[in-house]
Amino acid sequence: MVINKEREKQMDFNKLKNSTAVTEIEKRYEDAKKILKDDQKVESFLKDLEKKLNKIPVAGNTLATIPVMASLVNNYAKKKYTNIPTGVIVLVVSALIYFVTPFDIVPDSIPFLGFLDDAFILSQGWKMAQSDLEKYQKWRKEQNKDKIVDIEEENA
């Protein structure tokens, strides 16, 4: 009986977390749409994203999804990859905006916890757009975007 109550509490907590994540992502939809309409804003946004990533000592698996999401945004903005619903690209940019924003549910100035909420929102954004992100990754591999060039080999 105690196990069932604990399971119910966990399920309720997961519903709360998921609804909070969705709400926080949706709050940034309009900003995401504005960024996607302007190549300079996309570049500036991606630079802000890179700066924030450099501040995080241990990124972990969740934050490892950021380069894929950022690459998708970049290729979408350059019209190289447009085989994605508008709602999904807006969702991805919104999740990334949350990540870049220093003042969100838990401000980034609070060590560790400030990045924990960012990782959670990103993981929820990834889950919501997972099938489209996987299609993009497949396209990216087909385009040889994942090929790593060894600088020493290139200069030889």
Side-chain angles (χ1 to χ4, degrees):
M1 194 70 152
V2 173
I3 294 173
N4 287 338
K5 287 187 180 193
E6 286 300 316
R7 178 179 260 167
E8 285 177 24
K9 285 181 185 177
Q10 184 63 36
M11 289 171 59
D12 289 341
F13 180 70
N14 285 336
K15 286 180 188 175
L16 175 66
K17 286 192 317 188
N18 289 337
S19 67
T20 301
V22 170
T23 300
E24 289 302 317
I25 290 171
E26 287 175 346
K27 283 182 188 177
R28 288 149 178 89
Y29 276 10
E30 290 308 311
D31 289 338
K33 289 176 185 178
K34 288 177 189 173
I35 288 171
L36 289 168
K37 290 180 182 177
D38 184 336
D39 287 347
Q40 288 180 330
K41 286 182 181 180
V42 169
E43 283 299 318
S44 176
F45 172 69
L46 293 175
K47 286 179 185 175
D48 289 345
L49 186 62
E50 185 178 348
K51 286 179 193 173
K52 177 134 184 201
L53 280 171
N54 288 329
K55 291 180 184 178
I56 302 172
V58 179
N61 289 338
T62 299
L63 300 183
T65 63
I66 293 172
V68 174
M69 295 169 96
S71 175
L72 169 64
V73 171
N74 193 31
N75 279 305
Y76 180 84
K78 291 179 178 178
K79 307 224 184 311
K80 292 181 179 179
Y81 184 82
T82 57
N83 189 22
I84 188 163
T86 303
V88 173
I89 194 73
V90 169
L91 179 139
V92 168
V93 174
S94 298
L96 292 171
I97 289 171
Y98 184 91
F99 176 75
V100 171
T101 305
F103 300 103
D104 42 43
I105 293 175
V106 181
D108 293 346
S109 58
I110 299 173
F112 181 71
L113 292 177
F115 296 119
L116 193 59
D117 69 309
D118 294 344
F120 174 73
I121 296 294
L122 283 171
S123 70
Q124 294 305 303
W126 181 275
K127 285 179 187 175
M128 292 166 68
Q130 186 169 359
S131 66
D132 289 295
L133 287 164
E134 288 172 352
K135 288 176 190 173
Y136 170 70
Q137 285 180 300
K138 182 179 177 184
W139 173 85
R140 193 171 161 204
K141 285 179 183 175
E142 290 169 0
Q143 303 298 311
N144 293 320
K145 301 283 185 199
D146 287 342
K147 186 177 180 184
I148 298 172
V149 177
D150 186 340
I151 294 173
E152 290 180 18
E153 284 181 19
E154 198 172 77
N155 291 330

